[in-house]
């Protein structure tokens, strides 16, 4: 039997060898888990709040300040955090931030006063500040443009799916072991995951199992696969005028469109992350410990919203829609849907309240692919700084929303607070419609 020439055998194997690997989807999964933990540590206070505030005798105004404490330092540290993201590798920076904020979360389980609660939430906020700029840096490095909204939608869904499925678990844990266990358990999980991130994560060219074909899929599709290498080879680009860079990302109208829009998106989000359980328990008479699943329905809807939004956005882009239309349309529609939260003011039953909350939070999830616009607009060398400013302004809502609600609540009446959240959603939709023009990467 005549033997097949070696050259023919190599040619036959070449298509198999050149098939792109798919390790970027493992990175997507790693980011998803990280976001689940990130948001559990932001929102665990809301689950513990009814029992915790009752035990420590904290009224609604002081409760607003406790809820907002995270946002003060989280917003304040966004620009320094973005600066770090442009200089420190995601593998190191994310692991360090995760472990440190998780240890602070564990300590919350031992807080015994209003001052201690505020102080520790300030620490958690500061240490979580680099998280989403890192996410943006990682997704821009690992994913081509046509897949980026799906990736962002998938990992962003972690902020909702974790709360949807784990809120009943944490409510049960609190009922059995007390509010202290809520903070200790979520904090220890975060410490473990920080160690896992450091062990697993690498940049694309250094990640085990990534072949050259996948590198080409990412880079030819618009992914900045060598951004880390480029930064390390060109220190002069990293040490340019920080003030002029800041002036650039603060001086563009279209960027202000996404900044204001993010403030609006986060206003709804932070209502759900802070006051929502208290609203149900104290103002609507829901037994949270026994009705955790009912309270988790809005979070499930938000998860569906953000995943479907990312898939729809990338589908529109692949079908020939401009990047602006593909990214902005789901965000605008989602913000308009979020405004339906005002219907809860007119619902007479708890089922009606949950229905309006579920629809509104679905809209919030649908609008939550906003980072895809930062990824598409930001100058390549200023991804971290632009993301930091975006997150700074957007997360002023984490500061203002809990406090504003605390003051708007009047006795047993929560209606003015709900109306405020609806108004913010409408403001955000107008911002995207009127201020964000053509979506294309800016030069710096």
């Amino acid at each position: 039997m005549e033997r097949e020439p070696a050259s023919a055998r190599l040619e036959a194997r070449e298509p198999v060898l050149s098939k792109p690997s798919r390790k970027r989807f493992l990175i997507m999964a790693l980011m998803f888990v990280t976001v689940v933990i990130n948001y559990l540590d932001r929102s665990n206070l809301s689950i513990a709040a009814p029992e915790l505030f009752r035990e420590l005798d904290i009224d609604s105004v002081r409760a607003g300040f406790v809820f907002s404490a995270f946002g003060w330092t989280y917003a304040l540290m966004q620009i320094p955090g973005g600066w770090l993201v442009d200089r420190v590798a995601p593998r190191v920076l994310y692991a360090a931030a995760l472990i440190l904020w998780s240890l602070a979360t564990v300590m919350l389980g031992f807080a015994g006063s209003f001052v201690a609660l505020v102080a520790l939430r300030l620490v958690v906020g500061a240490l979580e500040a680099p998280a989403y700029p890192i996410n943006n840096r990682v997704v821009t490095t690992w994913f081509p443009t046509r897949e980026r909204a799906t990736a962002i939608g998938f990992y962003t869904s972690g902020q909702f799916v974790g709360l949807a499925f784990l809120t009943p678990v944490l409510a049960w844990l609190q009922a059995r072991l007390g509010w202290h266990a809520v903070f200790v358990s979520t904090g220890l999980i975060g410490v473990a995951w920080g160690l896992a991130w450091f062990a697993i994560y690498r940049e694309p060219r250094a990640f085990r199992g990534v072949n050259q074909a996948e590198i080409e899929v990412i880079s030819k599709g618009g992914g900045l696969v060598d951004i880390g290498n480029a930064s390390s080879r060109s220190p002069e680009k990293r040490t340019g005028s920080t003030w002029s860079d800041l002036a650039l990302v603060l001086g563009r109208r279209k960027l202000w469109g996404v900044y204001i829009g993010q403030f609006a998106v986060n206003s709804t989000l932070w209502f759900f992350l802070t006051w929502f359980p208290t609203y149900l328990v104290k103002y609507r008479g829901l037994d949270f410990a026994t009705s955790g699943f009912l309270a988790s329905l809005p979070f499930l809807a938000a998860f569906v919203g953000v995943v479907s939004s990312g898939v729809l956005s990338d589908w529109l882009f692949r079908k020939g829609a401009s990047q602006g239309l593909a990214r902005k349309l789901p965000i605008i529609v989602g913000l308009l849907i979020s405004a339906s939260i005002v219907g809860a003011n007119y619902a007479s039953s708890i089922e009606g309240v949950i229905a309006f909350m579920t629809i509104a939070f679905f809209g919030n999830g649908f609008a939550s692919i906003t980072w895809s616009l930062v990824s598409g607009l930001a100058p390549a060398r200023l991804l971290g700084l632009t993301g930091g400013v975006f997150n700074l302004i957007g997360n002023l809502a984490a500061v203002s929303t809990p406090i504003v609600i605390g003051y708007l609540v009047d006795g047993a009446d929560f209606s003015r607070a709900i109306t405020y959240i609806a108004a913010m959603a409408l403001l955000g939709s107008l911002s995207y419609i009127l201020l964000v023009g053509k979506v294309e990467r800016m030069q710096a």
Side-chain angles (χ1 to χ4, degrees):
M1 182 184 224
E2 186 176 353
R3 191 171 182 181
E4 184 180 17
S7 60
R9 293 199 304 273
L10 285 172
E11 286 179 12
R13 284 159 46 198
E14 187 175 353
V16 176
L17 293 175
S18 64
K19 183 177 180 180
S21 53
R22 297 171 64 84
K23 295 299 181 181
R24 62 192 183 279
F25 298 107
L26 174 58
I27 297 300
M28 189 192 303
L30 293 178
M31 294 171 71
F32 173 87
V33 175
T34 306
V35 169
V36 169
I37 293 169
N38 183 295
Y39 269 79
L40 279 177
D41 289 339
R42 295 185 193 198
S43 63
N44 49 18
L45 176 62
S46 71
I47 297 167
E51 180 182 332
L52 170 59
F53 292 164
R54 183 168 54 251
E55 182 175 316
L56 299 184
D57 194 26
I58 294 174
D59 62 21
S60 63
V61 173
R62 290 199 299 163
F65 281 97
V66 174
F67 280 137
S68 75
F70 173 96
W72 287 99
T73 47
Y74 185 78
L76 183 65
M77 294 301 293
Q78 283 305 309
I79 292 177
W83 184 88
L84 281 173
V85 170
D86 289 329
R87 287 156 178 79
V88 181
R91 179 191 178 208
V92 175
L93 184 58
Y94 224 160
L98 258 165
I99 291 169
L100 291 173
W101 91 55
S102 297
L103 289 173
T105 299
V106 171
M107 292 175 65
L108 274 163
F110 303 95
S113 68
F114 168 77
V115 172
L117 285 172
V118 170
L120 286 169
R121 289 291 287 180
L122 288 169
V123 172
V124 175
L127 292 170
E128 283 201 20
Y132 264 70
I134 295 172
N135 292 342
N136 189 52
R137 158 73 160 75
V138 170
V139 81
T140 307
T141 301
W142 271 93
F143 288 87
T145 302
R146 69 178 184 273
E147 297 175 352
R148 202 168 292 155
T150 299
I152 291 170
F154 182 79
Y155 78 67
T156 301
S157 73
Q159 69 192 42
F160 304 119
V161 74
L163 296 173
F165 290 108
L166 295 178
T167 290
V169 175
L170 293 179
W172 174 85
L173 189 65
Q174 177 180 258
R176 294 293 298 271
L177 301 176
W179 60 265
H180 311 272
V182 173
F183 297 112
V184 173
S185 59
T186 51
L188 291 178
I189 290 169
V191 171
W193 185 250
L195 296 172
W197 174 273
F198 183 79
I200 299 170
Y201 182 81
R202 301 291 188 280
E203 298 283 51
R205 293 190 187 277
F207 198 94
R208 180 175 295 181
V210 174
N211 62 16
Q212 184 59 32
E214 184 172 16
I215 296 292
E216 290 177 2
V217 166
I218 298 168
S219 60
K220 290 180 179 178
L224 304 181
V225 70
D226 290 315
I227 187 172
N229 296 332
S231 296
S232 62
R233 290 195 303 267
S234 306
E236 70 279 359
K237 289 188 177 181
R238 298 199 315 271
T239 57
S241 171
T242 301
W243 289 112
S244 64
D245 291 342
L246 183 59
L248 187 151
V249 300
L250 284 173
R252 300 295 178 88
R253 186 190 71 176
K254 61 179 59 186
L255 287 178
W256 272 102
V258 299
Y259 298 158
I260 295 170
Q262 186 67 357
F263 180 90
V265 170
N266 280 347
S267 294
T268 300
L269 174 63
W270 277 93
F271 161 71
F272 279 95
L273 294 183
T274 55
W275 279 100
F276 177 58
T278 301
Y279 168 65
L280 294 181
V281 172
K282 185 175 180 180
Y283 297 92
R284 288 293 187 167
L286 181 72
D287 184 348
F288 197 69
T290 59
S291 304
F293 175 74
L294 188 63
S296 73
L297 287 178
F299 296 100
L300 286 171
F303 163 69
V304 173
V306 71
V307 172
S308 59
S309 179
V311 171
L312 173 64
S313 179
D314 279 342
W315 179 82
L316 288 171
F317 186 75
R318 288 193 297 270
K319 290 297 182 180
S322 68
Q323 187 173 187
L325 177 63
R327 302 319 188 208
K328 288 191 294 183
L329 181 63
I331 297 170
I332 293 167
V333 170
L335 282 163
L336 292 173
I337 294 172
S338 291
S340 67
I341 195 171
V342 74
N345 286 341
Y346 306 98
S348 58
S349 66
I350 190 63
E351 291 80 12
V353 170
I354 293 294
F356 279 110
M357 293 289 165
T358 300
I359 293 168
F361 213 21
F362 169 84
N364 186 258
F366 206 72
S368 292
I369 59 165
T370 47
W371 277 99
S372 64
L373 285 172
V374 179
S375 183
L377 288 168
R381 72 178 183 86
L382 298 177
L383 279 171
L385 181 60
T386 308
V389 172
F390 171 79
N391 231 16
L392 163 63
I393 295 171
N395 278 284
L396 291 177
V399 176
S400 61
T401 301
I403 294 175
V404 169
I405 290 176
Y407 278 102
L408 287 176
V409 170
D410 182 17
D413 184 10
F414 210 90
S415 61
R416 291 189 299 175
I418 297 297
T419 302
Y420 169 79
I421 299 301
M424 289 298 101
L426 291 175
L427 174 66
S429 64
L430 289 173
S431 175
Y432 276 100
I433 292 168
L434 300 177
L435 297 179
V436 183
K438 183 178 181 181
V439 177
E440 57 186 1
R441 189 171 306 283
M442 298 178 178
Q443 301 302 311

